[in-house]
Amino acid sequence: MNCDVKTVIAPVNIAVIKYWGKRDEELILPLNDSVSATLDTSVMCAKTSVCANPHFAEDEIWLNGKKESFSNQRLQNCLKEIKQRAYNEKSIDDIFLTWKVHICSENNFPTAAGLASSAAGYACLVTALAKLYKVKSDISSIARLGSGSACRSVYGGFVRWHAGVNPDGSDSIATQIADSSHWPQMRALILVVGDTKKKISSTIGMKRSADTSELLKYRVQYCVPKRTDDISKAIKEKNFGKFAEITMKDSNQFHAVCMDSYPPYVYLTNISHTIIDLVHKYNEISGETRIAYTFDAGPNACLYLLENEVPKVMSLIQHIFPSSSDKFVTGLNFKEEGLNEEFLKILSIPIQAKDSIKYVIYTKVGDGPTEIKDGSHLLNKDGTPVKSVLI
Ligand code: DP6
């Protein structure tokens, strides 16, 4: 048996205007538009190999080294929809669509820790399947069926997911605001505070908020439409101060919505709040907004900042959050910068307990999913996972 294996890597994205709340649970249609930056796959990515063969007895999937059940409804919806698209586009022979598929996928970062792993994973899966079935049209609406935020990982740079109004979700798609080369100085620091699985998943949390939070209704109607337009403009004009202010306000409002839900739930920890304090004080002392924070459904912070600010901020983080690890910072290279005593005094943030921040990932804005053509597949030609991916 010799099948044609397609392999794709896909990026994580971190929202600056948050998606929180669905108007349709099945089709994963959001209550509001959202905006994100796609992060460089050279630092964080999902990798997926797919193949189809008439001799496969059933659809099979291996995730992060383990065989998983294929019964997951979202997974099945993605596969069904991509086959439907291939059929409509007449992109391949119909017989090919009856063959079973094998899928093998892995992330190079912790899953389900609020690190957007499902976004990268589903964007990767759907792009790999689109390559296999030669689907040419926009696939963000198919990635959306796997996980809402995944539709934004289908494009690089800065991306907007349009909530859309059609009941069938046909206009709930992602589009690019600007590509990855547009704002080359933009950087992201992911401060990993906890890398264990979150207590309340995004899916459950946002359902509770959509059912019970008055603040969410207000946010959707009055805040998000203006913020989305304003931040798109700030991105186009490379206005960091405006970009950062909107990003922080939107993150804060999202976490306020979690508290406004009934029963309330929280993702932020004391360390998350110390990071928030640190950023506001840093900006105040600097006399302008130079760092933005944003938090997803977990305690980890994503700081957006410009490249020239990185050495100072990195030194500061290492000073305030001492670590016992010799691999505290991973990702892109940077220069260390000595800290000014006077600056630390005015900042007056106490040094935190060792390992309060587990590690830092330093990355930048990057491109969308890419097909890997160097032969480093996760599936062998016979459709079995390559040995090194199995645990
Ligand atoms: C806080 O896309 O994980 O990261 O659609 O139910 O799979 P489902 O939710 P998911 O939610 C992401 C929520 C968020 C905000 C964002 O990425 O916009």
Side-chain angles (χ1 to χ4, degrees), residues 336-349:
E336 300 272 353
E337 187 179 297
L339 286 172
N340 177 320
E341 284 301 324
E342 191 56 27
F343 181 83
L344 285 175
K345 219 160 111 196
I346 316 174
L347 195 70
S348 73
I349 303 257

Side-chain angles (χ1 to χ4, degrees), residues 15 19-20 22 28 74 147-149 152 202-203 206 254 296-297:
Y19 146 54
W20 202 249
K22 298 181 181 73
I28 312 199
R74 288 178 173 202
S147 189
S149 53
R152 297 186 311 242
S202 308
T203 310
M206 70 173 80
F254 153 47
D296 281 342

